[in-house]
Amino acid sequence: MTSRPVIDDMSSFWMPFTANRQFNAAPRLLESAKGMYYRTTDGREVLDGCAGLWCVNAGHGRDEIVAAITKQISTLDFAPTFQMGHPLAFEAASKVADLMPEGLDRIFFTNSGSESVDTALKIALAYHRARGEGQRTRLIGRERGYHGVGFGGISVGGIAPNRKTFSGALLPAVDHLPHTHNLEHNAFSKGQPAWGAHLAEELERLVTLHDASTIAAVIVEPAAGSTGVLIPPQGYLQKLREICTKHGILLIFDEVITGFGRLGKATASEYFGVTPDLLTMAKAINNAAIPMGAVAASRTIHDTIVNSGAPGAIELAHGYTYSAHPAAAAAAIATLDLYRRDDLFARAHAMAPKFESAVHALRDAPHVKDIRNLGLVAGVELESRAGAPGARAYEAFVKCFEAGVLIRFTGDILAFSPPLIVEEAQIDRIFSTVREALASVQ
Ligand SMILES: Cc1ncc(COP(=O)(O)O)c(C=O)c1O
């Protein structure tokens, strides 16, 4: 079933991360959204099993957010934040800071996760330079990591197809930790796998190889989403933190997916009890109503950079025209108020056991090779069809969409991350639809 095209010419829009020719042959078009549901251009209701793109955590079309944006656009549509300011930028930063781990309360606004990542990498370099260790320029990422699509992000990222085409232009001083995914030890883990903390010690090997004096930062997703939901082994993040601290290396948590309640706490850092030096965020910061991202920096990092250099000189030559855009800031303030008022992070926490048992009930469904979950995020890995990797998950995704449920897929992994307002019956519907879809794909 394809959605009724409402436009004559679909050729101009070059779609991101999409098989353009395949899509144009059978479009899936969304027209409106409210609460847990999208509506397609041909009038079908589609239950949102992935919060849009892991970002609409409060559900769609929330009146408070719409009202805040509408009011702001008609009051102050745009204000520069280069050598100028507007009150909502400062208010939004304070509200974001309130949700961050202790001490990470200096907020730099961006417009996306990719920009947040590149901003955090640049802040790490600027920090070391400001304190006289400008030779610390090496960045350590992790295999299978996803850190957006900027040159910094794909360099530290570890998803091969995202790097291959651009391989000649990646940042030069980068290395990677091994990923933590291992089905031999951890298949069908509920929550954090027991095996794998020792993989963090690979960082010691990289320190020996490159020398700590050349390494600026390590960046990881505390729980990885886009690569197909990889949950950190118990003790892994704590070990990374210890090794970074020991060697004066900054630890960056990329919380673009995990920020704002996905794991049942404001941040994954809070959930795991591990505090990084820099924390990137974006997706749910303002419920995805207007593009916005941010980096939270420790006071030490902020003060070291801001107190360096001559008075009157710009301390960090970095920023975006739309950093803290008034409408995005208004949306963030309204969203963060809504999260607090409706206690949505606690709601996600309370719903997580139901979500876990519903997804793990798919264990005996056809093609299922692994299931993993934490908070309100889960991945179901399928056996790949011989000679056609990714085809089975794509077909399951299309079947689910036709049956009125939106999910995500990456390679042969199905991913689930519903808005935090999801009801138990909706969780059941998502996974019963997936079961039927899996039964009907070859
Ligand atoms: C961990 C992580 N970092 C960065 C990004 C990039 O965000 P954006 O698409 O907003 O640039 C994503 C997007 O999925 C992500 O999951």
Side-chain angles (χ1 to χ4, degrees):
M1 190 186 308
T2 61
S3 304
R4 171 171 50 90
V6 286
I7 34 222
D8 296 333
D9 178 11
M10 290 184 58
S11 62
S12 291
F13 178 34
W14 188 345
M15 298 178 71
F17 273 121
T18 295
N20 278 256
R21 286 166 296 173
Q22 186 184 51
F23 185 92
N24 284 343
R28 294 173 290 278
L29 298 174
L30 304 171
E31 191 166 67
S32 62
K34 193 74 184 166
M36 282 294 300
Y37 294 91
Y38 278 109
R39 185 168 285 275
T40 63
T41 50
D42 50 1
R44 290 188 312 113
E45 221 175 37
V46 177
L47 177 60
D48 186 358
C50 48
L53 211 42
W54 325 73
C55 48
V56 188
N57 282 10
H60 295 273
R62 297 301 300 257
D63 294 340
E64 297 85 346
I65 303 171
V66 174
I69 294 169
T70 310
K71 176 165 171 254
Q72 188 53 41
I73 286 287
S74 58
T75 310
L76 176 70
D77 52 357
F78 176 77
T81 48
F82 296 5
Q83 308 283 23
M84 289 295 298
H86 64 90
L88 292 191
F90 295 90
E91 190 184 339
S94 304
K95 285 201 187 267
V96 171
D98 283 348
L99 291 173
M100 292 298 113
E102 179 79 27
L104 259 65
D105 57 1
R106 297 295 185 257
I107 309 299
F108 196 104
F109 282 114
T110 71
N111 309 290
S112 68
S114 300
E115 289 178 358
S116 296
V117 166
D118 282 12
T119 298
L121 299 177
K122 289 172 79 173
I123 290 175
L125 298 190
Y127 165 72
H128 288 301
R129 177 180 272 263
R131 61 190 195 89
E133 287 203 53
Q135 82 288 349
R136 281 192 187 252
T137 54
R138 195 174 306 280
L139 301 165
I140 309 285
R142 190 169 58 187
E143 293 165 1
R144 294 195 63 163
Y146 184 66
H147 300 294
V149 293
F151 276 104
I154 60 171
S155 299
V156 293
I159 297 184
N162 294 356
R163 295 162 52 88
K164 189 173 68 181
T165 307
F166 317 105
S167 59
L170 300 181
L171 298 185
V174 170
D175 211 334
H176 289 78
L177 291 163
H179 66 73
T180 61
H181 190 43
N182 186 309
L183 288 186
E184 199 184 317
H185 290 280
N186 291 334
F188 296 100
S189 291
K190 293 183 175 170
Q192 287 190 266
W195 179 94
H198 65 280
L199 294 168
E201 279 153 21
E202 286 293 306
L203 182 55
E204 286 285 13
R205 189 179 61 77
L206 295 181
V207 168
T208 306
L209 178 67
H210 298 296
D211 199 80
S213 67
T214 73
I215 303 176
V218 169
I219 180 167
V220 293
E221 299 150 277
S226 300
T227 189
V229 183
L230 302 183
I231 309 298
Q234 293 165 21
Y236 174 87
L237 295 171
Q238 285 79 355
K239 215 163 249 179
L240 270 191
R241 175 70 276 180
E242 277 166 30
I243 299 171
C244 284
T245 304
K246 179 172 145 199
H247 295 291
I249 298 167
L250 297 180
L251 179 61
I252 306 171
F253 276 176
D254 185 350
E255 295 228 29
V256 166
I257 277 180
T258 51
F260 306 103
R262 182 55 49 204
L263 301 185
K265 296 283 182 196
T267 59
S269 310
E270 183 184 341
Y271 181 89
F272 293 117
V274 178
T275 302
D277 302 292
L278 292 158
L279 188 155
T280 59
M281 61 201 115
K283 289 192 186 276
I285 191 168
N286 63 12
N287 212 33
I290 306 263
M292 184 177 228
V295 177
S298 73
R299 267 187 213 197
T300 309
I301 291 175
H302 170 273
D303 292 353
T304 302
I305 295 172
V306 167
N307 296 333
S308 70
I314 289 168
E315 305 102 1
L316 183 68
H318 180 72
Y320 304 94
T321 299
Y322 306 121
S323 287
H325 187 283
I333 293 163
T335 299
L336 302 182
D337 286 348
L338 195 56
Y339 289 151
R340 179 171 292 119
R341 191 199 71 191
D342 293 355
D343 215 1
L344 278 185
F345 306 161
R347 192 175 189 291
H349 178 74
M351 201 56 94
K354 160 75 192 173
F355 188 70
E356 176 175 276
S357 60
V359 68
H360 278 274
L362 288 175
R363 188 171 179 152
D364 63 351
H367 317 301
V368 171
K369 179 172 158 189
D370 184 38
I371 298 175
R372 36 199 191 253
N373 70 289
L374 197 68
L376 285 187
V377 62
V380 173
E381 186 160 348
L382 308 178
E383 296 284 357
S384 295
R385 187 180 298 153
R392 189 169 272 153
Y394 171 73
E395 286 166 24
F397 155 77
V398 171
K399 296 250 183 221
C400 285
F401 180 70
E402 288 172 350
V405 173
L406 182 66
I407 64 170
R408 277 284 294 157
F409 73 101
T410 173
D412 268 309
I413 302 164
L414 307 179
F416 308 90
S417 59
L420 313 184
I421 59 166
V422 68
E423 302 283 350
E424 292 201 4
Q426 292 162 337
I427 292 176
D428 287 335
R429 164 129 189 257
I430 292 168
F431 294 115
S432 62
T433 304
V434 172
R435 178 178 280 281
E436 283 162 29
L438 290 176
S440 67
V441 299
Q442 293 303 301

